[in-house]
Structures are given as structure tokens and as C-alpha cells.
């Protein structure tokens, strides 16, 4: 993406952002209101930018034909996803596969694989309204991966998952990242440390830091910051450094 700009009425959510993501698992960090969800919504083709260009899987998503082609090959889990409570898990994931234009002959096996990967094989014929919040979240992950996407966008995917489920989810992310590009937006820095190959930190719609989890952890071992462990301290140190630099540029521009 180049010069990506997103405005919500008078608020700038993304400010001329330049980024590229290759294969692997990428952690997207930032404070509330940083623009993480706006970025993922644009990349997932559910929202249009107000400026800039985005290419994905060799397609320009600003072009309707390119956007349609990309949608068949991506997976997306928003922070809050809509579902039909009266559907069973099988029915809902199959419905989402249909929306992604998966071949009908391939769908039943693909649904069972996706549901098994999120640990819900024994509840595949249960109605979604009977599931716990954590289970519903896992249904959301299943629908995102049912088409074995080449690009996968997950917005706060571990919300509602218990510690054991989060460990299993991290392992699944690592497996998916071996063959696909996965972008995970989260507030849980430890998830990034455990599963991601690269970290992108944005603040106020701009790139604040980019590097590996190890480099962010190293930053936290040499700098004072708020957090219980080095990567959390590295996160706060990187954020503070970006804000200080932005303040200096603002003063110089006056």
C-alpha cells in the first residue's frame, strides 16, 4: 500500500501510510484510536480509503474486478462479526464458504477441517446461540479460514479465548503463516511475541515502529517503560519515541 489515507468525517484515521506485508504472521499494535481497525477494514475490502493505493495478490483493490478476485482468496474476522444465532456451526461456516464462492463439492470437507482446527468438531451441529462467547469467537475464526486464504486479517481474534485456547490459536497462526500472509491486530503484546514474525506499531494513523518481536523486546530491556515484561516495555518505549519525534516535527513546521 502507498499513501493510504482514511478519514472519518473530520477525523483522520490513517495518514498517508506506506506499508507492505509479505508471507508470515504480522502483529499490528497500537493504542485505542490508532487506526488499526481502519487499516484492516480497508485491506479486507469492506471499507474504501479516501486516498492512496492498495495492491494485494497482484490485484488493485480499488478496481471492482480486482476487489472481487481478492475477496475469494482472503479471510477476515472483524472485532464483532455478524452471525445467525439459529444456524448451527456447520451451517454458518458453510454459508460463509458460499459467500466466498467456494466450489460446492469442496465445501463440506473444508467446513469440517476449519471447525476442527478451532477445536469445535464436537459442537459442529450445535446452534450458535447455545455456544459460549469464546466458542462463538472460534466460530468466527473458522469462517475466516474455511477457504484456506492466501491473506488473512484478524481483528482482536483472541478476545474471549481462555489461556489454553490462546496457546492453541498461536500455534495455528504459525501454521497459517507458513503459506499465507496473516495480519493480526491485538492489544495483547504477548500474543505478538509468541506467534508473529514481524511487528508493526501505528499511532495516530502513522507508522511508529516496525521490526521483529525480538527487536521490540530488546528495546524494552534497555529503556524504561510501562509493562510487566520486556516486550511490553519495548512497546511503550517505541510509542513514546514516536510521539516525541512527531512533536519535534510539529514544532519545526511552525
Amino acid at each position: 500500500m502507498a499513501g493510504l489515507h482514511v478519514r472519518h468525517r473530520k477525523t483522520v484515521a490513517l495518514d498517508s501510510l506506506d506499508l507492505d506485508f509479505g508471507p508470515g504472521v504480522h502483529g499490528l499494535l497500537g493504542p485505542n484510536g490508532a487506526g488499526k481497525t481502519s487499516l484492516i477494514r480497508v485491506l479486507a475490502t469492506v471499507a474504501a480509503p479516501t486516498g492512496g493505493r492498495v495492491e494485494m495478490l497482484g490485484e488493485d483493490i480499488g478496481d471492482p474486478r480486482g476487489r472481487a478476485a481478492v475477496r475469494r482468496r482472503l479471510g477476515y474476522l472483524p472485532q464483532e462479526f455478524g452471525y445467525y444465532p439459529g444456524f448451527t456451526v456447520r451451517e454458518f461456516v458453510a454459508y460463509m464458504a458460499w459467500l466466498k464462492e467456494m466450489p460446492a463439492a469442496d465445501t463440506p470437507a473444508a467446513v469440517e477441517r476449519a471447525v476442527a482446527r478451532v477445536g469445535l468438531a464436537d459442537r459442529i451441529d450445535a446452534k450458535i446461540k447455545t455456544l459460549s462467547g469464546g466458542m462463538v469467537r472460534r466460530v468466527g475464526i473458522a469462517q475466516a479460514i474455511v477457504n484456506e486464504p492466501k491473506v488473512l486479517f484478524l481483528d482482536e481474534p483472541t478476545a474471549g479465548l481462555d489461556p489454553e485456547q490462546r496457546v492453541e490459536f498461536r500455534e495455528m497462526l504459525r501454521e497459517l503463516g507458513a503459506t499465507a500472509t496473516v495480519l493480526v491486530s491485538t492489544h495483547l503484546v504477548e500474543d505478538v511475541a509468541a506467534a508473529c514474525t514481524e511487528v508493526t506499531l501505528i499511532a495516530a494513523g502513522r507508522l511508529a515502529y516496525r521490526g521483529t518481536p525480538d527487536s521490540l523486546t530488546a528495546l524494552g530491556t534497555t529503556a524504561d517503560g510501562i509493562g510487566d515484561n520486556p516486550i511490553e516495555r519495548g512497546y511503550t518505549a517505541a510509542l513514546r519515541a514516536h510521539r516525541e519525534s512527531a512533536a519535534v516535527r510539529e514544532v519545526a513546521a511552525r
Side-chain angles (χ1 to χ4, degrees):
M1 74 191 75
L4 187 62
H5 190 89
V6 173
R7 176 184 291 273
H8 302 305
R9 296 183 179 178
K10 296 182 178 181
T11 302
V12 174
L14 296 174
D15 189 2
S16 300
L17 195 62
D18 298 325
L19 281 174
D20 62 275
F21 298 101
V25 184
H26 304 266
L28 182 62
L29 299 174
N32 290 331
K36 302 187 299 298
T37 293
S38 293
L39 174 58
I40 285 186
R41 283 175 53 82
V42 168
L43 295 179
T45 74
V46 298
T50 50
R53 179 181 175 86
V54 179
E55 290 188 2
M56 193 183 315
L57 299 172
E59 303 282 354
D60 178 2
I61 68 171
D63 177 77
R65 288 176 297 180
R67 190 161 57 247
V70 165
R71 282 175 175 165
R72 301 185 190 102
R73 302 169 64 192
L74 65 77
Y76 172 47
L77 174 65
Q79 285 190 41
E80 296 182 7
F81 72 98
Y83 59 89
Y84 299 100
F87 274 28
T88 66
V89 174
R90 186 194 303 271
E91 289 168 341
F92 176 71
V93 179
Y95 172 65
M96 297 304 295
W98 175 75
L99 290 179
K100 296 177 184 185
E101 300 181 2
M102 288 184 63
D106 298 340
T107 295
V111 168
E112 292 191 1
R113 283 196 303 271
V115 173
R117 291 187 81 174
V118 299
L120 289 176
D122 61 334
R123 304 302 300 273
I124 192 168
D125 290 313
K127 291 187 181 296
I128 297 178
K129 65 184 178 183
T130 68
L131 303 180
S132 68
M135 288 180 179
V136 171
R137 198 65 180 163
R138 283 188 277 163
V139 174
I141 297 169
Q143 64 80 26
I145 65 174
V146 67
N147 59 330
E148 297 186 1
K150 291 299 181 183
V151 288
L152 177 62
F153 304 111
L154 303 170
D155 199 354
E156 299 292 345
T158 56
L161 301 187
D162 64 36
E164 181 181 12
Q165 291 163 356
R166 283 174 55 202
V167 170
E168 293 170 350
F169 174 73
R170 293 168 186 170
E171 179 59 33
M172 185 179 69
L173 280 184
R174 287 189 287 267
E175 292 175 4
L176 292 167
T179 57
T181 298
V182 183
L183 182 61
V184 185
S185 173
T186 181
H187 285 97
L188 299 174
V189 183
E190 60 269 30
D191 283 345
V192 169
C196 297
T197 52
E198 187 176 52
V199 181
T200 298
L201 169 59
I202 61 174
R206 294 184 176 182
L207 180 64
Y209 178 86
R210 200 163 197 202
T212 65
D214 286 345
S215 65
L216 190 60
T217 299
L219 184 62
T221 62
T222 59
D224 293 330
I226 300 172
D228 296 328
N229 57 56
I231 194 166
E232 288 182 346
R233 291 194 294 274
Y235 166 82
T236 58
L239 196 56
R240 287 173 176 174
H242 170 73
R243 287 169 174 164
E244 290 171 1
S245 177
V248 170
R249 290 196 300 269
E250 184 178 347
V251 170
R254 291 176 181 172

